[in-house]
Amino acid sequence: MKSLFIVLDGGDGAGTTTHSRLLKGFLESKGLKVYLTQEPSQSKIGILIREFLKKKEIPPTTDALLFAADRDLHYKNEIKNKLEDGYIVISDRYLESSIVYQSVHSDKITIDWVKEINKFVGLPDITIILDIEPEIALARKGDEDLEKFEDPQILNKVRKLYLLRAKQEGYPTISSDDIIELVQEKIQKIIIEKLKTRS
Ligand code: TMP
């Protein structure tokens, strides 16, 4: 069986976690072997990043380097092995999150530099972008303790850049401002098509 590396990406509150889980269940119901993972990963670097997401005083370049290190470890020690074992790997966020968030976070950080520090990881077979208006996304979060990127100004820039990147790179984009079942159905259709071209 051939593997497939799927990424769901998008702004905070777009539902990448919910839809990654639903997609896993759907594919498993078809008898496929699925491995679900996420970034930041469960590694020590990923745990440190989660702490830093609550701290505004961490320099954006430190964040960018940590996300890249976490991804390097995540890909080489986890994702790659699962792909070699014939799994469909679904990652809730991946490289596109770094390209978008880290370049929006600081004028000094260019997309080219983010690509450069991430150049040793494998690329997904398909990246699907979930699009949501930041106001709706933040309303979904309610009164939770917000992380540093969960801010309307940042998320508006993040959204614009995701949409531009999707256009440039040809990533399928789905509005997640709809009922969950409908959004999931659209994701499943795209993946079913991708699986057909794979086999
Ligand atoms: P999550 O809340 O969706 O799990 O994502 C954690 C936050 O980390 C979210 O605001 C996006 C951000 N992030 C980056 O800034 N760069 C990255 O490379 C990744 C994976 C996430």
Side-chain angles (χ1 to χ4, degrees):
M1 201 192 97
K2 277 201 258 166
S3 59
L4 189 73
F5 182 15
I6 301 167
V7 171
L8 296 192
D9 223 311
D12 280 87
T16 57
T17 306
T18 302
H19 286 290
S20 296
R21 287 187 189 143
L22 291 171
L23 182 63
K24 177 182 192 269
F26 168 75
L27 294 171
E28 281 178 340
S29 76
K30 303 277 168 213
L32 297 162
K33 286 204 300 185
V34 184
Y35 182 74
L36 175 61
T37 184
Q38 77 288 311
E39 289 193 352
S41 81
Q42 313 269 29
S43 75
K44 284 190 178 163
I45 305 172
I47 292 163
L48 179 65
I49 291 173
R50 290 260 171 224
E51 262 176 53
F52 282 6
L53 281 170
K54 303 274 183 198
K55 295 185 178 158
K56 290 218 160 81
E57 68 274 18
I58 304 299
T61 39
T62 303
D63 274 341
L65 292 163
L66 284 174
F67 278 115
D70 183 45
R71 184 162 303 117
D72 202 61
L73 192 63
H74 187 206
Y75 181 78
K76 289 169 187 163
N77 282 10
E78 203 174 326
I79 296 173
K80 188 169 174 280
N81 301 339
K82 291 293 173 185
L83 291 171
E84 283 170 3
D85 285 348
Y87 280 81
I88 292 179
V89 174
I90 303 171
S91 186
D92 170 7
R93 297 193 175 280
Y94 195 63
L95 175 57
E96 208 54 42
S97 280
S98 280
I99 289 177
V100 172
Y101 279 85
Q102 274 56 69
S103 71
V104 160
H105 198 193
S106 162
D107 291 342
K108 293 201 180 101
I109 296 182
T110 63
I111 290 177
D112 281 345
W113 180 68
V114 177
K115 285 185 181 167
E116 183 69 20
I117 58 173
N118 281 276
K119 73 178 179 188
F120 298 110
V121 297
L123 297 178
D125 296 302
I126 183 163
T127 299
I128 297 177
I129 305 299
L130 300 183
D131 177 50
I132 188 80
E133 253 183 60
E135 290 70 21
I136 298 173
L138 288 172
R140 282 181 185 172
K141 293 261 164 191
D143 291 335
E144 267 174 51
D145 191 10
L146 295 180
E147 292 172 351
K148 67 183 160 203
F149 299 122
E150 292 171 335
D151 161 278
Q153 265 192 338
I154 295 180
L155 288 183
N156 269 305
K157 287 187 193 166
V158 159
R159 182 187 191 199
K160 269 196 195 152
L161 187 52
Y162 267 118
L163 293 176
L164 176 68
R165 291 276 309 156
K167 212 170 170 189
Q168 289 170 342
E169 302 293 322
Y171 301 141
T173 305
I174 296 173
S175 165
S176 73
D177 181 17
D178 214 333
I179 58 169
I180 288 180
E181 290 79 2
L182 285 183
V183 176
Q184 178 60 204
E185 214 174 282
K186 289 180 187 168
I187 296 172
Q188 290 171 4
K189 270 192 187 151
I190 292 169
I191 298 303
I192 290 167
E193 281 312 306
K194 189 73 190 175
L195 285 168
K196 278 187 200 156
T197 59
R198 178 194 72 151
S199 48

